[in-house]
Each structure stands twice: as C-alpha cells, then as structure tokens.
Amino acid sequence: MIFSRKRDGSGRHARDERVGEPVTGSDTEESTPSAPDRGPYDISEAPRDVQRLDLGSLHIPAVPEVEVRVQADPQGVVQQVVLVHGENALQLGVFAAPRSEGIWDEVREEIRQSLFNDGAAAQEVSGEYGTELRARVRTPEGITDLRFIGVDGPRWMVRGVYQGAAATEPAAAGPLAECLSGLVVDRGQEAKPVREPLPLRLPREVAAQQQAQAAAAGGDAPAPGPRQP
C-alpha cells in the first residue's frame, strides 16, 4: 500500500530562532547543552514542541505544502519514504552506524562506484552537510539528475537523494531542505549490523485503519512482499 499525507498551511514546524545567539543558563534548563543548531537530530537532542509524523526511526517535521509519500507492505513495514514539493522530491533512508565513526564517506564512494559501473559519472561537491555526490542517470522516464546527501549521527546515518531542480540547484530545495534540517532519528538501543536499515513503520493511526480494513475483509490480508533496503 502507499500512504500519502500532504502538509498544508496549518502545519506547524518550529525553527530555532536562537541559532548563533549566546546561550544563557535559563536557555539550557530543558535542552542538551551540545545540541546541534539544525538537524537531522538524534531523538535525545531534538527540539521539543514540533509537530512531526512518526514513522518509527524517522520523525518528519510538518512543513507546509510538503507531501509525505510512504510505501509499505501489507504488514505496515515501510519500504520507501519520499517527500515531494512541486517538481522536487527527496527520498530518505536511515541506517545503523558504528559508535566510533561515521560511514558516509565509505557509503558515498560505493554509490559513486555503482553509478560508474552503470555508465553514469558522479561528481563530488561541497554542500551544506559536507561532501555530496551529484550524478545524471538514465531512467525509463529519461535523463534524471540526482544529488546524494549523507549525514552521520550518533550510531546512525541519514541518506537523502534529491530529484528535480533541487538536484542541481540546492537553493531550489526550499521546504524539502527544511524537512531535512528538522528531521529526527530514533535509533533505539538495540545492537544492529552496520548499514542495516533502521525499522520504519506506518503512523499508528494509519496502521490501525489498515488492520481494521483487513479484519472487515475476513483477515485475509495478502502476504507481505520482499523488503527493499
């Protein structure tokens, strides 16, 4: 099934208006002293009072006019998360990483090599989150530009892939970049192999509705399809 939710103008996405200002004792009473100025955030240091869509390991902030498209199997296991705004899209993935070091440098090189093997040249460029990878690939729909972004966090890595004008012009990402900078990762405490996708699920209300529909149909829900990394 595919779940889609669009954030309209009533959605609330709080931004930290104090970035760059000195922090006083009263400012830190309910926050982590070393919390970053922007996300993706670890759940332990994320700003409070922000409306987010809970997908398990990823919590996506509500940003006006951004549509969240989630593809899941019949059991509610999410296989793909894509944010859409106009002609631009941002596909998100989150993976386990070691405690001692980040993995984006290594993953980026593997992506570059995979693209090269498929006949697509990729170029490393400096971006807002460090080194990015840009490529132009051939798809059934024609030539498509892609921009790969990686963000290393505490025992996790977020990978984002921009499509549309945002793939070649970062300033065009607009609300999608706002979603990325407000993203929250809930890594959990379980030990996981490095690079294993962290579990994602449908929002509770959607999963409950799906289960009710299956029960109404006699409980004969189709078997889940293969899970894609």
Side-chain angles (χ1 to χ4, degrees):
M1 69 166 291
I2 296 178
F3 160 73
S4 179
R5 173 176 293 178
K6 189 167 186 178
R7 306 296 195 177
D8 58 25
S10 62
R12 179 162 182 255
H13 173 50
R15 300 186 59 134
D16 189 351
E17 302 295 342
R18 301 176 298 172
V19 172
E21 296 181 4
V23 179
T24 66
S26 60
D27 291 328
T28 59
E29 287 179 358
E30 296 185 1
S31 62
T32 303
S34 60
D37 292 335
R38 66 173 180 186
Y41 300 96
D42 188 76
I43 188 107
S44 65
E45 56 193 12
R48 302 178 183 179
D49 239 6
V50 177
Q51 180 185 348
R52 302 185 183 98
L53 180 65
D54 184 352
L55 298 179
S57 294
L58 284 181
H59 298 189
I60 300 173
V63 175
E65 300 304 317
V66 172
E67 183 179 2
V68 182
R69 298 179 181 176
V70 178
Q71 182 175 350
D73 66 23
Q75 305 305 313
V77 177
V78 172
Q79 299 170 323
Q80 183 171 269
V81 178
V82 180
L83 311 184
V84 178
H85 179 262
E87 299 300 318
N88 291 317
L90 173 61
Q91 182 177 354
L92 294 173
V94 61
F95 306 88
R99 186 185 302 273
S100 57
E101 59 184 356
I103 60 174
W104 171 235
D105 288 346
E106 185 178 341
V107 169
R108 186 178 67 252
E109 174 57 26
E110 292 181 0
I111 294 173
R112 189 197 65 78
Q113 187 61 50
S114 177
L115 290 167
F116 178 80
N117 293 340
D118 291 337
Q123 178 185 11
E124 290 190 343
V125 298
S126 179
E128 191 176 12
Y129 290 97
T131 305
E132 304 176 354
L133 200 63
R134 297 187 188 182
R136 177 167 289 183
V137 300
R138 187 179 300 277
T139 70
E141 291 75 29
I143 300 298
T144 300
D145 288 305
L146 301 175
R147 177 160 62 100
F148 297 84
I149 291 177
V151 183
D152 288 310
R155 301 176 66 213
W156 52 259
M157 183 200 75
V158 168
R159 184 193 64 203
V161 185
Y162 280 106
Q163 297 183 50
T168 55
E169 303 174 18
L176 295 182
E178 189 176 351
C179 285
L180 183 61
S181 67
L183 196 68
V184 173
V185 177
D186 186 355
R187 163 65 173 78
Q189 300 302 317
E190 295 181 11
K192 295 182 181 299
V194 173
R195 302 195 191 192
E196 178 176 300
L198 298 182
L200 299 171
R201 54 168 171 73
L202 289 173
R204 289 184 175 85
E205 65 273 17
V206 177
Q209 182 181 13
Q210 183 181 7
Q211 292 173 359
Q213 291 174 345
D220 296 327
R227 182 178 180 183
Q228 301 296 325

